[in-house]
Amino acid sequence: MDNAPQRTARVPARVVVTGIGVLSGFGNGLAALEDGLFSGRTAIRRIESLDTRALTCHFGAELPAFDGQALIQKAERHAYDRVSLMALAAADEALAQAGLDPAEIGPTAGVMMGTAFGPGDAIQDAVLRASENQRLRPTTILKMMLNGPTAALCARYRLQRGSQAHVTACAASAHAIAQAVQAVRWGEMDVCLAGGADAFPTSALFTAWDALAIMSAATDPTAGIMKPFAPDRSGFVIGEAATVLILEREDHAIARGATPLAEICGAGAVTDTPTLTKPTLRGMVGAMRAALEDAGLDPAAVGHINAHGTATELNDSLESDAIRAVFGPHAPAIRVSACKAALGHCMGAGSAVEAAATILALCRQQSPWTIDPTAVTADPQTGPQPTAPYSGQTVPMDTDIALSNSFAFGGHYATLAFRVTKP
Amino acid sequence: MKSELLAIMAEFLEVDPEELQDYKTLEDLNIDSLDFVEIMFEVEEKYDAPVIFEMQKKRTQIQNLGEVLRLTEELILKHRDQTAASASPDARTGSAAPADADG
């Protein structure tokens, strides 16, 4: 069968989301994310999978229960890392919600998945075994591939259109979704499975993060472990997540009787890398403006932003200033959500799970974990503003347009724009 | 030994050993190249005998499961003979060929 890409669209199509699958610290499934996020709870708990006694950070948002072994045959288990199994579970859920038959989508569907660290368990296990002169299984190399989640979805659904693995750190799944939007918009495929997955770090990876001294050392949940945009914020903690969105052309979805949950109406990505780690105002402003331009939106149309909000000193100050720079006098009217306070920083899966949160927020007309971004600023002339005690406040909103920001080490900045048709 | 080899394959493939009949091809049993090398890895682990390299070389010429079992058993027995020979008094004095002399 001919599976060559057919970039036939002369007019860009509207790209809609018809299904979402999520695994997060709140549990397996989109419903668990929605229940947790909009009830103001946090999935951040004391870490169970690692011994952190010698480290600074002790909290994270691990999946409470996940055993993906049943998703694959026993013969395949040596080739699939946990992160790939998480992606499979999320994709199965997303396809079911979209009403698409997994056995039928292959010829006209592709996949774009992001991950920051990919199959960390497999890589650490192989390194340890090799260092002790132990044998490695013949298929070890397959389990170590950074494109594991993407390849797992390709194999499961026999996808025949384009497939790419994005590894741009904490913006990886935003880039994956942006690429998927382009592919569907211009007719390269009817359906694209797009999102990201990152398993909870291994001991080596977690220790490396800990050494960077930007993770929260807080241990009192009642005072808040991770507090984006709070003047007393003290860094992030890591979350574990996989999220897959089913993207398809609006006419394709409508023709088969599916109900679009939201449109992804724009995607913008820019680069600004004066250093590998230092965030920049130019990058943040550039990404948001690029997404607005791609969507053909006036800034005043935006009523909700899912902030990157890492609870680090400079990120939050600059993101706050960037929102003011892009939206000017309209900025105070925007409901800004900082979901990482509830989900942790889900690394390469963060943009995808926050895309799901953004769509839920628009569908519910509620902003979860709402913060006041004006409480912080990088401008020394202004200084931090007084703010209310930190909590996971869900507030009503009235808008059909939202943005979701993702910024990453390496100077990668990406923003996605979403639209819903309000009832 | 054949029943033990069948048991290894059956466990790996999650099938009843009775389904693994000699006349069936690897394709019949849905054993792809990666499954094949993993099964041979399990055999090596159990018998502590090198079979992966030789069996991989022969894989594309193998007609059916019976041939897989026969060739694998031959390699294991050959390795045992070589190991025994290298452990004999002659071997200890250096007069016997190294166990891997014929590759």
Side-chain angles (χ1 to χ4, degrees):
Chain A
M1 178 183 284
D2 176 18
N3 65 349
Q6 297 167 353
R7 196 165 182 144
T8 54
R10 291 178 182 166
V11 178
R14 287 159 75 109
V15 180
V16 295
V17 179
T18 53
I20 304 174
V22 178
L23 281 70
S24 73
F26 284 121
N28 300 340
L30 180 66
L33 175 74
E34 184 172 3
D35 288 348
L37 210 51
F38 290 88
S39 64
R41 289 187 285 125
T42 176
I44 294 171
R45 299 172 291 270
R46 193 169 278 277
I47 293 167
E48 294 181 358
S49 65
L50 301 173
D51 181 353
T52 63
R53 280 175 294 182
L55 303 173
T56 304
C57 177
H58 306 285
F59 279 68
E62 299 161 288
L63 298 191
F66 176 69
D67 179 7
Q69 297 298 323
L71 292 168
I72 53 173
Q73 294 180 337
K74 188 177 178 185
E76 298 173 313
R77 288 180 192 167
H78 303 299
Y80 285 78
D81 183 82
R82 174 179 173 86
V83 72
S84 294
L85 299 178
M86 289 165 55
L88 291 180
D92 279 358
E93 183 192 11
L95 286 170
Q97 187 185 20
L100 287 166
D101 184 346
E104 299 290 329
I105 61 169
T108 58
V111 55
M112 310 287 169
M113 289 289 285
T115 186
F117 296 100
D121 284 347
I123 293 169
Q124 179 163 321
D125 183 63
V127 169
L128 287 174
R129 285 176 189 274
S131 69
E132 294 170 357
N133 294 316
Q134 292 182 29
R135 298 188 74 193
L136 297 181
R137 299 196 71 95
T139 51
T140 298
I141 198 71
L142 302 178
K143 202 171 181 179
M144 295 168 70
M145 300 192 306
L146 284 176
N147 59 329
T150 303
L153 269 53
C154 291
R156 187 173 188 80
Y157 311 117
R158 302 290 193 273
L159 304 178
Q160 295 177 27
R161 297 295 176 178
S163 54
Q164 289 183 14
H166 295 254
V167 292
T168 38
C170 302
S173 51
H175 284 128
I177 293 168
Q179 180 76 22
V181 168
Q182 291 295 334
V184 173
R185 182 184 278 174
W186 292 103
E188 292 176 25
M189 54 189 77
D190 289 341
V191 173
C192 192
L193 286 69
D198 257 308
F200 202 76
T202 60
S203 58
L205 180 55
F206 190 86
T207 303
W209 273 117
D210 200 75
L212 193 58
I214 59 170
M215 293 204 295
S216 171
T219 55
D220 179 5
T222 59
I225 300 295
M226 179 174 172
K227 304 195 283 186
F229 296 94
D232 62 343
R233 63 194 178 281
S234 59
F236 63 83
V237 299
I238 294 175
E240 180 174 31
T243 296
V244 172
L245 310 178
I246 306 300
L247 270 51
E248 55 185 308
R249 292 195 319 274
E250 185 181 47
D251 64 316
H252 184 269
I254 290 170
R256 67 181 186 84
T259 305
L261 303 169
E263 177 191 1
I264 303 184
C265 55
V270 300
T271 308
D272 192 28
T273 320
T275 76
L276 289 177
T277 57
K278 188 177 180 182
T280 70
L281 187 67
R282 185 166 65 175
M284 294 176 177
V285 168
M288 283 190 274
R289 286 187 173 149
L292 291 171
E293 185 177 335
D294 186 51
L297 287 171
D298 186 285
V302 175
H304 176 61
I305 295 175
N306 190 300
H308 186 58
T310 53
T312 53
E313 178 61 33
L314 196 52
N315 176 88
D316 292 5
S317 300
L318 287 175
E319 189 169 10
S320 174
D321 291 346
I323 290 170
R324 279 191 285 264
V326 171
F327 297 97
H330 176 62
I334 299 173
R335 296 285 171 265
V336 180
S337 179
C339 290
K340 288 184 177 71
L343 297 165
H345 192 339
C346 297
M347 304 280 120
S351 316
V353 71
E354 288 160 20
T358 307
I359 292 169
L360 288 171
L362 283 173
C363 291
R364 295 170 61 107
Q365 289 294 297
Q366 287 180 313
S367 169
W369 282 89
T370 306
I371 50 85
D372 174 11
T374 62
V376 297
T377 176
D379 183 354
Q381 301 300 314
T382 306
Q385 306 296 303
T387 185
Y390 207 77
S391 67
Q393 200 178 9
T394 296
V395 301
M397 61 186 197
D398 182 13
T399 184
D400 55 357
I401 302 288
L403 301 184
S404 182
N405 289 336
S406 298
F407 314 135
F409 282 1
H412 314 299
Y413 298 84
T415 297
L416 301 172
F418 301 83
R419 173 165 35 214
V420 292
T421 303
K422 287 196 294 181
Chain B
M1 186 184 293
K2 183 178 177 182
S3 62
E4 289 178 349
L5 291 173
L6 280 172
I8 289 172
M9 288 189 183
E11 186 180 351
F12 185 85
L13 297 168
E14 291 185 293
V15 297
D16 192 307
E18 290 174 5
E19 292 179 37
L20 302 178
Q21 292 136 326
D22 281 0
Y23 68 85
K24 287 186 175 173
T25 66
L26 298 181
E27 199 171 32
D28 289 339
L29 296 166
N30 205 23
I31 298 175
D32 66 15
S33 59
L34 295 174
D35 296 331
F36 185 80
V37 72
E38 281 285 342
I39 289 168
M40 290 301 134
F41 179 85
E42 298 287 356
V43 171
E44 284 197 354
E45 289 290 279
K46 179 170 177 64
Y47 293 99
D48 196 22
V51 298
I52 291 178
F53 189 70
E54 284 300 315
M55 291 301 287
Q56 278 286 71
K57 281 200 292 186
K58 292 171 179 160
R59 186 177 60 82
T60 53
Q61 284 93 50
I62 286 172
Q63 301 294 320
N64 54 38
L65 182 62
E67 206 170 340
V68 173
L69 295 168
R70 180 177 59 76
L71 291 169
T72 307
E73 188 167 343
E74 282 177 10
L75 286 168
I76 294 168
L77 293 175
K78 182 179 169 186
H79 177 73
R80 282 184 183 170
D81 288 346
Q82 290 170 336
T83 306
S86 65
S88 69
D90 283 349
R92 283 197 293 273
T93 57
S95 60
D100 59 351
D102 63 355

